[in-house]
Amino acid sequence: MYKNNKGFSLAEIVIVVGILGMIMVVIGAFQRDIFVNTKFAQDSLSTTQDSRNILRMMVRELRTSSSGNDGSYPLISASTSTLSFYSDVDADGLKDKVRYYVATTTLTKGLIKPTGSPLTYVAANEVFSILAYNLKNSSSTPLFEYYDNAYAGTSSPLTQPVVISNVRLVKINLMVDVDPNKSPNVRTYTSQVNLRNLKDNL
C-alpha cells in the first residue's frame, strides 16, 4: 500500500537553512556597506563645513589685523605651520594676540587678551582651542604661504624665513584626512586674505 509522507527530509532542511543563511549574510553585508558609506558621506560633509568655517574665521581675523595695544607690529611670526598676529577678534575694542599653529596633525588656536595698565600680553593667559584634527599638510603644501606686494596671482610664495614687514597676503591651505582609519582620503581647502592695514599697492 502506497504511503504519502508529507514533510521535509533532513537534507532538504539543511539546504534551506544554508540558503537562508547565505541570504542573511548578503543582506547583512549590504546593510553594513550602506551604513559605512552613509557615515563616510556624513563625515565628509561635516569636514567640509568645519573646514570652511575655520577658513572664514581665520580670513576674517587676518583681514583686520592691526598693531597690538602695546604698539607691536600687526604680524608677530609667519612660518609654514605657525602664524601669530594682533586682531580684535571679539569686537571689544582691544587687539587680541592670536596664534594659529599645528602640533603634529592638530590645528590649534591660542588667544591672549591684553590686560593691565598699560595693556600687555601675558603668555600665561593664553587660552587654547583645538580647531581641526588629522591635518596632512606637508612641505609641498604648507598650512601657510606668504606673498609680498608684487603678488599677481601666480607668483611663488616668499621663502622661509620670511621678512615679516614684506608680507601683504596670506594663503591658507587646510589638508584634512576625512577618515584616518581608512586609506588616505585627503581634502584640501584653500583661501587667501589681503592684510588690509598693511595694504600698499596691492
Side-chain angles (χ1 to χ4, degrees):
M1 181 178 177
Y2 175 76
K3 185 177 182 181
N4 185 15
N5 291 322
K6 294 182 178 181
F8 298 101
S9 68
L10 179 61
E12 290 172 328
I13 293 174
V14 169
I15 291 172
V16 170
V17 170
I19 292 173
L20 289 175
M22 286 188 291
I23 291 173
M24 293 303 295
V25 168
V26 171
I27 292 174
F30 180 68
Q31 289 177 329
R32 185 189 68 245
D33 288 344
I34 290 177
F35 173 78
V36 169
N37 290 332
T38 300
K39 184 178 184 303
F40 182 76
Q42 290 174 338
D43 290 344
S44 298
L45 184 61
S46 177
T47 298
T48 298
Q49 189 60 47
D50 290 346
S51 298
R52 289 175 177 169
N53 289 338
I54 292 168
L55 285 175
R56 275 195 290 268
M57 176 178 64
M58 296 173 79
V59 166
R60 182 179 65 251
E61 295 175 357
L62 273 166
R63 182 174 288 126
T64 58
S65 59
S66 57
S67 299
N69 286 107
D70 60 357
S72 298
Y73 191 72
L75 290 183
I76 304 165
S77 64
S79 72
T80 56
S81 60
T82 301
L83 175 58
S84 299
F85 57 95
Y86 296 99
S87 181
D88 184 5
V89 300
D90 53 6
D92 64 354
L94 297 176
K95 304 301 189 300
D96 306 294
K97 187 175 182 178
V98 184
R99 178 164 68 111
Y100 288 103
Y101 65 96
V102 177
T104 311
T105 60
T106 302
L107 176 62
T108 303
K109 178 181 180 179
L111 186 71
I112 303 176
K113 300 193 71 62
T115 56
S117 180
L119 291 169
T120 57
Y121 297 88
V122 181
N125 293 340
E126 188 170 17
V127 177
F128 301 94
S129 54
I130 294 176
L131 303 181
Y133 296 95
N134 306 317
L135 261 62
K136 297 298 181 181
N137 290 86
S138 62
S139 57
S140 60
T141 309
L143 177 60
F144 300 113
E145 295 177 295
Y146 307 93
Y147 299 84
D148 59 18
N149 56 13
Y151 181 67
T154 57
S155 310
S156 297
L158 298 171
T159 56
Q160 289 287 341
V162 302
V163 177
I164 295 291
S165 58
N166 289 342
V167 176
R168 294 294 180 274
L169 181 143
V170 179
K171 183 177 181 182
I172 308 166
N173 307 294
L174 281 179
M175 295 185 66
V176 184
D177 189 350
V178 176
D179 186 352
N181 297 317
K182 301 179 71 174
S183 59
N185 187 4
V186 179
R187 304 278 178 87
T188 301
Y189 307 91
T190 300
S191 188
Q192 62 186 38
V193 54
N194 291 317
L195 306 180
R196 285 179 177 174
N197 294 317
L198 300 181
K199 191 173 182 181
D200 39 31
N201 66 345
L202 269 177

